[in-house]
């Protein structure tokens, strides 16, 4: 039986993308092991849904298992795991320990693939925690350390899985990665709803919604501010914001100052199995993220969650969003850099053909943007690197 090792820099469970990839490998005939970081879990090793999970760092100081690109402790445990598990292929998540994983794997003659879901160096520039003091800002922005880490990691990787074609082009032009060594595997939902709710939108009050981590690289501030200004004098829309993060209190503060927080349902952190219930409250999804080097090189999985549920989406004008909106006609692009444009959208919300976009959302989620399609692309790509 073929063996695969997935190296993950954080805790498992639970990461939806890691789970989906490893489950697909499992049902495709692979014996699968996940090497993850211990973040307080009881078991250093266990079997979860047929997958062996090995956790590194139990009982050790946190810095020992920190996913730094030069961490010798990670290098040691990766080498040990490769020798004991003897995988035919390795997949490492993101750039953090990519160089270490690549060097060890290639030295042992094992092909290695990076699962690159984001432009992580760009994300780090926007993370609030990395802008909290001068030293961090200098390292991230002036020394450009994340880009250097990514470049070194990619140098020691045999293939890359991305979530959008824009990221492919960045890797080709920035690092000279061969196009045949990159593949797009969208972060699409694993389960297809057999009976999604087609929307008529013939109702007095429409509910907009957003779900996910509320962090600075995916800011909702201009959208929340515009909503608050509009809701002061209008009563025809509501807002659901599901999730938690370091920007949550900022959004609540804007709404409280304007007296409009009563129109917003903040659900707080949620479990994956609770998402369908959250989406059932929403008529139109909203992903108003800022245009940046981070958002221009990823497609956020929540757009596919909305479509799978039959909901159209309003998107900011990032490059991937513009492309998929034109492709599907299941979303509309809005200038989310301008609060005035967002307010104008609210004023005209009843005049858009939401039912048409809803039908297109269902069509494309059934025929193109779903895990059944993406997982086959994944397996075909991984199998290219595994010796018969």
């Amino acid at each position: 039986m073929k063996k695969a090792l997935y190296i993950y820099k954080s805790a498992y469970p639970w990461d939806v993308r890691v789970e989906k990839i490893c489950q697909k490998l499992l049902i495709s005939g692979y014996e699968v092991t996940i090497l993850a970081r211990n973040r307080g879990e009881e078991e250093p090793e266990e079997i979860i849904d047929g997958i062996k999970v090995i956790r590194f760092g139990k009982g050790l100081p946190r810095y020992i298992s920190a996913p730094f690109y030069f961490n010798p402790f990670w290098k040691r445990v990766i080498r040990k795991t490769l020798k004991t598990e003897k995988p035919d292929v390795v997949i490492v998540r993101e750039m953090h320990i990519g160089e270490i994983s690549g060097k060890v794997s290639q030295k042992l003659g094992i092909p290695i693939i990076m699962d690159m879901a984001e432009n992580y160096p760009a994300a780090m520039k926007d993370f609030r925690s990395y802008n909290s003091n001068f030293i961090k800002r200098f390292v991230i922005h002036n020394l450009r350390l994340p880009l250097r880490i990514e470049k070194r990691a990619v140098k020691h990787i045999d293939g890359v899985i991305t979530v959008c074609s824009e990221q492919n082009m960045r890797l080709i032009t920035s690092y000279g990665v061969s196009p045949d060594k990159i593949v797009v595997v969208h972060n699409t939902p694993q389960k297809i709803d057999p009976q999604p709710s087609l929307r008529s939108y013939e109702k007095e009050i429409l509910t907009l919604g957003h779900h996910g981590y509320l962090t600075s690289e995916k800011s909702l501030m201009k959208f929340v501010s515009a909503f608050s200004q509009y809701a002061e004098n209008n009563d025809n829309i509501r807002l659901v914001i599901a999730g938690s993060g370091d920007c949550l209190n900022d959004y609540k503060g804007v709404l409280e100052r304007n007296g409009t927080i009563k129109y917003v349902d903040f659900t707080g952190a949620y479990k994956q199995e609770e998402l369908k219930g959250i989406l059932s409250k929403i008529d139109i999804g909203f992903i108003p993220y800022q245009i940046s080097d981070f958002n221009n090189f990823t497609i956020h999985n929540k757009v596919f969650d909305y479509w799978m549920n039959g909901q159209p989406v309003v998107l900011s004008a990032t490059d991937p969003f513009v492309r998929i909106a034109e492709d599907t006609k299941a979303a509309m692009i809005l200038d989310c850099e301008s609060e005035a444009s967002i307010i104008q959208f609210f004023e005209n919300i009843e005049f858009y053909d939401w039912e048409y976009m809803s039908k297109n959302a269902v069509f494309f989620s059934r025929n193109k943007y779903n895990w059944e399609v993406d997982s086959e692309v994944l397996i075909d790509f991984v199998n290219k690197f595994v010796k018969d």
Side-chain angles (χ1 to χ4, degrees), residues 29-230:
Y30 282 83
E31 184 178 311
V32 183
T33 300
I34 297 173
L35 174 61
R37 186 183 183 190
N38 190 297
R39 300 300 296 269
E41 294 84 3
E42 288 295 322
E43 300 297 331
E45 186 174 312
E46 65 177 317
I47 304 296
I48 300 177
D49 296 331
I51 296 170
K52 183 178 182 180
V53 180
I54 301 172
R55 299 188 177 98
F56 164 52
K58 183 174 177 60
L60 299 174
R62 297 289 293 273
Y63 72 86
I64 294 292
S65 63
F68 298 137
Y69 73 100
F70 56 82
N71 189 330
F73 300 101
W74 264 107
K75 186 174 183 179
R76 186 182 304 166
V77 75
I78 290 168
R79 183 187 294 112
K80 177 184 177 181
T81 306
L82 290 177
K83 288 184 176 181
T84 56
E85 299 300 315
K86 296 180 172 57
D88 298 287
V89 63
V90 174
I91 302 175
V92 60
R93 176 64 171 267
E94 304 296 354
M95 67 183 195
H96 302 75
I97 48 176
E99 180 181 357
I100 295 173
S101 302
K103 284 182 175 179
V104 176
S105 298
Q106 291 180 336
K107 188 173 183 179
L108 294 175
I110 304 170
I112 180 166
I113 298 166
M114 181 177 290
D115 181 18
M116 186 183 285
E118 300 172 329
N119 179 356
Y120 220 94
M124 292 175 73
K125 288 183 177 181
D126 290 340
F127 285 161
R128 182 171 292 184
S129 60
Y130 286 107
N131 286 278
S132 59
N133 60 56
F134 168 77
I135 294 176
K136 290 182 178 180
R137 289 194 299 272
F138 183 77
V139 169
I140 300 297
H141 295 270
N142 296 84
L143 295 184
R144 305 176 72 192
L145 183 60
L147 279 171
R148 297 181 184 206
I149 294 172
E150 183 182 62
K151 183 177 182 180
R152 289 168 64 100
V154 170
K155 180 180 178 182
H156 297 282
I157 296 295
D158 299 305
V160 185
I161 301 168
T162 72
V163 297
C164 66
S165 57
E166 289 79 7
Q167 179 83 313
N168 291 16
M169 289 306 302
R170 185 179 76 88
L171 296 173
I172 292 167
T173 58
S174 297
Y175 303 133
V177 179
S178 175
D180 65 342
K181 297 295 180 68
I182 318 175
V183 72
V184 173
V185 177
H186 301 101
N187 206 4
T188 42
Q190 195 167 12
K191 296 180 180 178
I192 297 176
D193 187 343
Q195 293 182 319
S197 303
L198 281 173
R199 312 302 168 106
S200 66
Y201 303 94
E202 295 176 356
K203 51 200 303 189
E204 292 184 5
I205 299 177
L206 288 175
T207 300
L208 312 179
H210 178 277
H211 66 282
Y213 291 116
L214 306 175
T215 46
S216 52
E217 80 282 5
K218 298 177 287 187
S219 178
L220 306 180
M221 182 53 75
K222 290 182 179 178
F223 169 68
V224 170
S225 177
F227 174 89
S228 186
Q229 293 174 59
Y230 177 80

Side-chain angles (χ1 to χ4, degrees), residues 357-380:
M357 284 186 265
S358 177
K359 291 177 180 178
N360 289 335
V362 172
F363 176 83
F364 277 93
S365 68
R366 293 297 173 276
N367 294 283
K368 183 174 182 178
Y369 293 114
N370 62 71
W371 187 244
E372 184 176 339
V373 172
D374 281 305
S375 64
E376 289 303 315
V377 175
L378 166 74
I379 288 300
D380 288 344

